[in-house]
C-alpha cells in the first residue's frame, strides 16, 4: 500500500479577535501530513483547536498564515469560488449532527449532491444504492430521516459524504451522538469504506473505539500538536 501524502498543512496559524484587546491564538504553527487511503484521527481536550484545524484542512476556513497543500498546490491560493469547487470535488464532510434534509428519503439525501453536480437522478440513484449498501442500509433507502434510528441517520450522512466520490472525508465527532453499539458499527463501516472505496479519512473524535481504528493519531493541546503516533 502506498504511503503517499494526500494533504499537507504547514505552519498553520489561526487566531480570533474576541474583543478589541483580546486575541485568542487557536492554532500555533500546526503542521500535519495526511497519508492517502488511511484513517487519521485527531484527539485532544475541548478547545484544543481540533475542529478549527479540520475546517482549515477541508478548505472551509482560511488560516491567518500557513499553507494547505493538495497535490502540491496551496488550496488557499484559490479564489473563494474555486475553493468551493475544490471542496465539492475533493472533500466529503461528516459532522456530529447529521444535517440530513428531513423531507427527503435516504436515497434522495445521498443522491442530491450528485444531481447538483450534474448527474441525472437515475445515474445518481445507482451510485447512492451502492453507498447505502456499503453502510448497511439497503433495506432503508426509502426511509426519511425521522423514520431512521440515530445510528442509521449517521450512516446515511456518511454515505452522503461519499456521494461525489471525494478522495478525502473529514469527520468531526461522527459518533458524538451515538451509543457504544452504534459507534462500533460506524467505526467498522469507516474501515470498510477506506478499503472498498479507497478513501482517506481524517476524524476528530473523543470516542475510544473509533480512535482505535486509526492508522495515525495526532494529539492536540492548546493549539499545537503534542503527539504523533
Ligand atoms: N469563530 C470563533 N470565534 C472566536 N473563538 C473561536 C471561534 N471558533 C472557535 N473559537 C475558539 O477556539 C478554540 C478552539 O476551538 P475548536 O472548536 O477548534 O476546539 P475543539 O478542539 O474542536 O473543541 P471541542 O472538542 O469542544 O469541539 C476554542 O477556545 C474556541 O472557543
Ligand atoms: Mg470541535
Amino acid at each position: 500500500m502506498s504511503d503517499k501524502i494526500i494533504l499537507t498543512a504547514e505552519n498553520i496559524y489561526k487566531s480570533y479577535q474576541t474583543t478589541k484587546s483580546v486575541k485568542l491564538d487557536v492554532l500555533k504553527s500546526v503542521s500535519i501530513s495526511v497519508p492517502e487511503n488511511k484513517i487519521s484521527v485527531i484527539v485532544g481536550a475541548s478547545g484544543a483547536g481540533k475542529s478549527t484545524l479540520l475546517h482549515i484542512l477541508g478548505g472551509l476556513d482560511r488560516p491567518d498564515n500557513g499553507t494547505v497543500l493538495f497535490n502540491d498546490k496551496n488550496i488557499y491560493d484559490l479564489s473563494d469560488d474555486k475553493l468551493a469547487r475544490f471542496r465539492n470535488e475533493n472533500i466529503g464532510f461528516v459532522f456530529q449532527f447529521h444535517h440530513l434534509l428531513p423531507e427527503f428519503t435516504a436515497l434522495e439525501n445521498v443522491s442530491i449532491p450528485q444531481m447538483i453536480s450534474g448527474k441525472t437522478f437515475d445515474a445518481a440513484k445507482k451510485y447512492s444504492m451502492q453507498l447505502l449498501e456499503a453502510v448497511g442500509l439497503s433495506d432503508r433507502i426509502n426511509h426519511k430521516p425521522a423514520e431512521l434510528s440515530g445510528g442509521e441517520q449517521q450512516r446515511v450522512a456518511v454515505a452522503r459524504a461519499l456521494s461525489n466520490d471525494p478522495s478525502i472525508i473529514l469527520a468531526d465527532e461522527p459518533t458524538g451522538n451515538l451509543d457504544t453499539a452504534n459507534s462500533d458499527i460506524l467505526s467498522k463501516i469507516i474501515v470498510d469504506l477506506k478499503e472498498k472505496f479507497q478513501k482517506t479519512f481524517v476524524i476528530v473524535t473523543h470516542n475510544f473505539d473509533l480512535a482505535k481504528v486509526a492508522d495515525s493519531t495526532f494529539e492536540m493541546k492548546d493549539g499545537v500538536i503534542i503527539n504523533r503516533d
Side-chain angles (χ1 to χ4, degrees):
M1 208 176 286
S2 79
D3 266 320
K4 189 182 157 211
I5 300 298
I6 188 164
L7 195 65
T8 309
E10 284 173 349
N11 297 317
I12 299 293
Y13 287 84
K14 181 79 184 177
S15 58
Y16 292 108
Q17 196 77 39
T18 47
T19 64
K20 255 194 173 144
S21 58
V22 180
K23 194 172 116 221
L24 193 66
D25 294 320
V26 176
L27 297 177
K28 295 172 271 194
S29 191
V30 171
S31 297
I32 179 173
S33 295
V34 176
E36 186 171 47
N37 195 208
K38 305 265 175 172
I39 298 171
S40 296
V41 164
I42 303 173
V43 298
S46 179
K50 306 180 298 294
S51 297
T52 307
L53 176 60
L54 199 73
H55 292 168
I56 289 175
L57 285 174
L60 282 175
D61 197 7
R62 288 182 188 270
D64 300 335
N65 232 310
T67 54
V68 174
L69 303 173
F70 178 77
N71 290 333
D72 300 323
K73 290 216 176 71
N74 181 12
I75 62 170
Y76 290 107
D77 285 342
L78 299 171
S79 64
D80 286 349
D81 281 359
K82 290 204 168 127
L83 188 59
R85 195 189 310 158
F86 158 80
R87 280 198 306 269
N88 289 338
E89 289 174 356
N90 298 292
I91 313 276
F93 293 96
V94 181
F95 299 101
Q96 180 172 354
F97 300 97
H98 57 73
H99 302 298
L100 296 171
L101 300 170
E103 65 274 33
F104 292 101
T105 65
L107 186 63
E108 289 163 345
N109 266 283
V110 180
S111 298
I112 286 167
Q114 296 168 66
M115 292 159 71
I116 292 172
S117 299
K119 270 199 204 171
T120 63
F121 182 50
D122 277 348
K125 218 160 75 173
K126 215 167 141 193
Y127 190 50
S128 300
M129 306 251 264
Q130 276 182 45
L131 291 173
L132 285 163
E133 187 187 345
V135 299
L137 292 176
S138 291
D139 55 352
R140 295 285 191 280
I141 61 171
N142 292 319
H143 288 228
K144 292 183 178 169
E147 300 159 354
L148 294 166
S149 74
E152 290 167 346
Q153 289 168 1
Q154 199 59 330
R155 283 190 266 154
V156 176
V158 170
R160 181 188 52 185
L162 270 75
S163 175
N164 275 328
D165 203 21
S167 39
I168 306 172
I169 293 93
L170 303 180
D172 199 348
E173 297 285 2
T175 59
N177 265 329
L178 304 182
D179 59 19
T180 313
N182 275 302
S183 299
D184 201 39
I185 292 171
L186 196 72
S187 304
K188 292 199 172 91
I189 284 172
I190 287 173
V191 173
D192 224 46
L193 291 173
K194 172 188 80 163
E195 283 162 11
K196 234 186 250 163
F197 291 84
Q198 305 278 302
K199 298 298 177 195
T200 302
F201 285 87
V202 183
I203 305 172
V204 169
T205 188
H206 286 105
N207 184 296
F208 187 66
D209 287 317
L210 183 53
K212 269 197 314 210
V213 306
D215 298 301
S216 329
T217 306
F218 301 89
E219 187 183 352
M220 291 190 73
K221 190 182 175 191
D222 299 334
V224 297
I225 293 178
I226 56 165
N227 260 311
R228 295 160 199 269
D229 190 9

